[in-house]
Amino acid sequence: MEIIIRQDADAASHAAARVVARLVREKPNAVIGLATGSTPLMLYRELVRMHKDDGLDFGEISTFNLDEYVGLEKEHQQSYHSFMWENLFSQINIKPENVHIPDGMAADIPASCAVYEQAVIDAGGIDLQVLGIGSDGHIGFNEPTSSFASRTRIKTLTQQTVADNARFFDGDESKVPPPCITMGIGTIMDARMNLMLAFGEGKADAIAATVEGPVAAIMPASILQHHPSAKVFIDEPAASKLQLADYYRWVYDGKPEWQADA
Ligand code: PGA
């Protein structure tokens, strides 16, 4: 794991955006896994800026989103379909047919999950997966005790995630659908690179456990310790409980120029 600590969320997001942009330039038909929530917003804003100002071209890029609520129509304001179109897709030149988001309204959810997994395979696998992390350590909606071998499937949110996400639903926990579809941890681990973002003190415990704790299903993100190419971009508050923070800073600051955005 590479831990990149930046002064604030903006600087960390910009550093992460440079990694995504480098992939898009080197592999114009790359397959990118995307996340929702507050955390990736600044990353998406920077990618939109790079598209508008620098001509970053998403014309042949394909995307797969991590998750979706079960029971929300695509048009629902809080569906992850709406989130992605509002915050990224409507502002870049991605082709709608290259966008993949789990269907929370599928009549046959297990069948639609199998189709989603096959679509990832048919696209050639995910080159780079963007991840947030839940305060309970989830990646995607793989809540604590999710199998490390899991594939896209239905899950039930923890009460903590329901409480965390109520802010998007007028602060009303009863409006947050507990069932969701999420890419599995096995699917996430198959991505060629994982790029995690985490900001704020509320993520400090989960980040410390993920990076420096034991690998255990109770802390799903800890499986990234076994990933050959995982980068964790965090701000100072999210880094505040890391034992080796000074080491991570020293490594990043000493990177040679040619490695800087790799
Ligand atoms: P957040 O969610 O970005 O809204 O904090 C992160 C997550 O649940 O993965």
Side-chain angles (χ1 to χ4, degrees), residues 35-40 67 80 131-135 138-141 161 164-165 167-168 203:
T36 48
S38 313
T39 306
D67 43 24
Y80 288 161
L131 295 171
I133 183 170
S135 58
H138 71 211
I139 45 176
F141 274 146
T161 301
D164 286 348
N165 288 6
R167 69 189 193 281
F168 297 114
K203 300 291 172 73

Coordinates of all heavy atoms in Angstrom, one line a residue, residues 35-40 67 80 131-135 138-141 161 164-165 167-168 203, ligand 1:
A35 N -16.8 5.5 -7.5 CA -17.4 5.5 -6.2 C -18.3 6.7 -6.1 O -18.2 7.7 -6.8 CB -16.4 5.5 -5.1
T36 N -19.2 6.7 -5.1 CA -20.1 7.8 -4.8 C -19.9 8.3 -3.4 O -19.0 7.8 -2.7 CB -21.6 7.4 -5.0 OG1 -21.8 6.2 -4.3 CG2 -21.9 7.2 -6.5
G37 N -20.7 9.2 -2.9 CA -20.6 9.7 -1.6 C -19.9 11.1 -1.6 O -19.6 11.6 -2.7
S38 N -19.6 11.7 -0.5 CA -19.0 13.0 -0.4 C -17.5 13.0 -0.9 O -17.0 13.9 -1.5 CB -19.0 13.6 1.0 OG -20.2 13.4 1.6
T39 N -16.9 11.9 -0.6 CA -15.4 11.8 -0.7 C -14.9 12.0 -2.1 O -14.0 12.8 -2.3 CB -14.9 10.5 -0.2 OG1 -15.4 10.3 1.2 CG2 -13.4 10.4 -0.2
P40 N -15.5 11.4 -3.2 CA -14.9 11.6 -4.5 C -15.3 12.9 -5.2 O -14.9 13.1 -6.4 CB -15.4 10.3 -5.3 CG -16.6 9.9 -4.6 CD -16.6 10.4 -3.2
D67 N -21.7 0.6 -6.5 CA -22.9 0.2 -5.8 C -24.2 1.0 -6.1 O -24.0 2.0 -6.8 CB -22.7 0.2 -4.2 CG -21.9 1.4 -3.8 OD1 -21.9 2.4 -4.5 OD2 -21.2 1.3 -2.7
Y80 N -27.6 6.5 -7.0 CA -26.2 6.7 -7.4 C -26.1 7.0 -8.9 O -25.1 7.5 -9.4 CB -25.3 5.6 -7.0 CG -25.1 5.6 -5.5 CD1 -24.6 4.5 -4.7 CD2 -25.3 6.8 -4.7 CE1 -24.4 4.6 -3.4 CE2 -25.0 6.9 -3.4 CZ -24.6 5.8 -2.7 OH -24.4 5.8 -1.3
L131 N -12.1 4.2 -4.7 CA -12.8 3.8 -3.5 C -12.9 4.9 -2.5 O -11.9 5.6 -2.3 CB -12.0 2.6 -2.8 CG -11.9 1.3 -3.6 CD1 -10.9 0.4 -2.8 CD2 -13.2 0.6 -3.7
G132 N -14.0 5.0 -1.8 CA -14.1 5.7 -0.5 C -14.0 4.6 0.6 O -13.7 3.5 0.3
I133 N -14.2 5.0 1.8 CA -14.2 4.0 2.9 C -15.3 4.5 3.9 O -15.4 5.7 4.2 CB -12.8 3.9 3.6 CG1 -12.9 2.8 4.7 CG2 -12.4 5.3 4.1 CD1 -11.5 2.5 5.3
G134 N -16.1 3.6 4.3 CA -17.1 3.9 5.3 C -16.4 4.1 6.7 O -15.3 3.6 6.9
S135 N -17.1 4.8 7.6 CA -16.5 4.9 8.9 C -16.5 3.5 9.6 O -15.7 3.3 10.6 CB -17.3 5.9 9.8 OG -18.7 5.5 9.9
H138 N -16.2 -0.1 5.4 CA -16.7 -0.8 4.2 C -16.0 -0.2 3.0 O -15.6 1.0 3.0 CB -18.2 -0.7 4.1 CG -18.8 0.6 3.9 ND1 -20.1 1.0 4.3 CD2 -18.4 1.7 3.2 CE1 -20.4 2.2 4.0 NE2 -19.4 2.7 3.3
I139 N -15.9 -1.0 1.9 CA -15.6 -0.5 0.6 C -16.7 -1.0 -0.3 O -17.2 -2.1 -0.3 CB -14.2 -1.1 0.1 CG1 -14.0 -2.6 0.4 CG2 -13.1 -0.2 0.7 CD1 -12.7 -3.1 -0.1
G140 N -17.1 -0.1 -1.3 CA -18.4 -0.3 -1.9 C -19.4 -0.3 -0.7 O -19.2 0.4 0.2
F141 N -20.3 -1.2 -0.8 CA -21.2 -1.4 0.3 C -20.9 -2.8 0.9 O -21.8 -3.4 1.5 CB -22.7 -1.3 0.0 CG -23.2 0.2 0.0 CD1 -24.2 0.6 -0.9 CD2 -22.8 1.1 1.0 CE1 -24.7 1.9 -0.8 CE2 -23.3 2.4 1.0 CZ -24.2 2.8 0.1
T161 N -23.9 2.8 8.7 CA -23.9 3.4 7.4 C -25.3 4.1 7.1 O -25.3 5.1 6.5 CB -23.7 2.3 6.3 OG1 -22.4 1.7 6.6 CG2 -23.7 2.8 4.9
D164 N -24.9 7.3 8.8 CA -23.9 8.1 8.1 C -24.5 8.7 6.8 O -24.3 9.9 6.5 CB -22.7 7.3 7.6 CG -21.7 7.0 8.8 OD1 -21.9 7.6 9.9 OD2 -20.8 6.1 8.6
N165 N -25.4 7.9 6.1 CA -25.9 8.4 4.8 C -27.2 9.1 4.9 O -27.7 9.7 3.9 CB -26.1 7.2 3.9 CG -24.7 6.7 3.4 OD1 -23.7 7.2 3.9 ND2 -24.7 5.7 2.5
R167 N -27.7 11.9 6.0 CA -27.5 13.3 5.6 C -27.9 13.6 4.2 O -28.2 14.7 3.8 CB -26.1 13.8 5.9 CG -25.0 13.2 5.0 CD -23.6 13.5 5.5 NE -22.6 13.3 4.6 CZ -22.1 12.0 4.3 NH1 -22.5 11.0 5.0 NH2 -21.1 11.9 3.5
F168 N -27.9 12.6 3.3 CA -28.3 12.8 1.9 C -29.8 12.6 1.8 O -30.3 12.9 0.7 CB -27.6 11.7 1.0 CG -26.1 11.8 1.0 CD1 -25.3 10.8 1.5 CD2 -25.5 12.9 0.5 CE1 -23.9 10.8 1.5 CE2 -24.1 13.0 0.4 CZ -23.3 11.9 1.0
K203 N -12.9 9.5 9.6 CA -12.3 8.3 8.9 C -11.0 7.8 9.5 O -10.4 6.9 9.0 CB -12.1 8.6 7.4 CG -13.4 9.1 6.7 CD -14.4 7.9 6.5 CE -15.7 8.3 5.9 NZ -15.7 8.6 4.5
Ligands
PGA1 P1 -18.6 9.2 2.1 O1 -18.9 7.7 2.0 O2 -17.7 9.5 1.0 O3 -19.9 9.9 1.9 O4 -18.0 9.5 3.4 C1 -17.8 6.8 1.8 C2 -18.2 5.4 1.7 O5 -19.3 5.1 2.3 O6 -17.6 4.6 1.0

